[in-house]
């Protein structure tokens, strides 16, 4: 039960940060945090990483649900004892479900971390 509570907390943080990005970054578009290295840039991602497979929402919904179910199974199995592995799995599940919420609610995922490669 503790894993699920942590995942819910992480999803809440994810959704609050995305709401802030929607409210404050959408009109500004980009804020440099470290010039030419890291910016906060508002993006509506309708695909996967780097915009691949755009507008295939059903695929992303199914993958997010499968990843979450498999991740929860792994967390509750006795096979994984490493705290790092369990933390990683919780972060993956929270990210998948946070993006799933965006896809259902907005029809896109709010992205805002922008690492500029020099």
């Amino acid at each position: 039960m503790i894993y699920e509570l942590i995942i819910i907390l992480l999803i809440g943080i994810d959704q609050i940060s995305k709401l802030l990005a929607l409210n404050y970054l959408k009109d500004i578009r980009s804020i440099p945090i470290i010039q030419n290295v890291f910016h906060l840039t508002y993006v509506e991602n309708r695909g996967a990483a780097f915009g691949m497979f755009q507008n295939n929402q059903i695929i992303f919904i199914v993958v997010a649900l499968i990843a979450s179910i498999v991740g929860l199974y792994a967390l509750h199995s006795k096979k994984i004892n490493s705290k790092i592995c369990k933390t990683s799995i919780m972060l993956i599940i929270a990210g998948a479900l946070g993006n799933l919420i965006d896809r259902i609610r907005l029809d896109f995922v709010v992205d805002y971390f922008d690492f500029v490669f020099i």
Side-chain angles (χ1 to χ4, degrees):
M1 188 64 174
I2 189 73
Y3 301 127
E4 289 82 0
L5 292 174
I6 293 170
I7 291 168
I8 290 168
L9 175 67
L10 291 169
I11 291 169
I13 293 167
D14 174 76
Q15 290 298 298
I16 290 168
S17 66
K18 289 177 179 180
L19 182 64
L20 291 170
L22 267 168
N23 289 337
Y24 296 105
L25 282 177
K26 189 172 183 176
D27 295 329
I28 298 170
R29 300 303 289 170
S30 187
I31 299 171
I33 303 301
I34 302 171
Q35 190 66 40
N36 296 322
V37 176
F38 175 64
H39 297 196
L40 296 178
T41 303
Y42 177 82
V43 176
E44 294 177 359
N45 188 349
R46 298 176 193 284
F50 311 110
M52 295 185 305
F53 307 111
Q54 290 207 11
N55 299 315
N56 289 309
Q57 301 295 37
I58 192 71
I59 292 170
F60 299 118
I61 290 169
V62 170
V63 169
L65 291 173
I66 291 171
S68 298
I69 291 167
V70 170
L72 285 170
Y73 173 79
L75 285 172
H76 290 286
S77 75
K78 302 291 183 200
K79 296 177 184 176
I80 298 175
N81 296 318
S82 166
K83 288 182 182 181
I84 292 174
C85 286
K86 288 184 177 188
T87 301
S88 299
I89 292 169
M90 286 187 287
L91 289 169
I92 290 167
I93 294 170
L97 293 178
N99 286 355
L100 177 63
I101 291 167
D102 282 1
R103 288 184 194 286
I104 291 169
R105 189 171 63 92
L106 303 169
D107 205 35
F108 57 85
V109 173
V110 175
D111 287 331
Y112 53 91
F113 289 147
D114 182 12
F115 292 91
V116 181
F117 298 103
I118 300 171

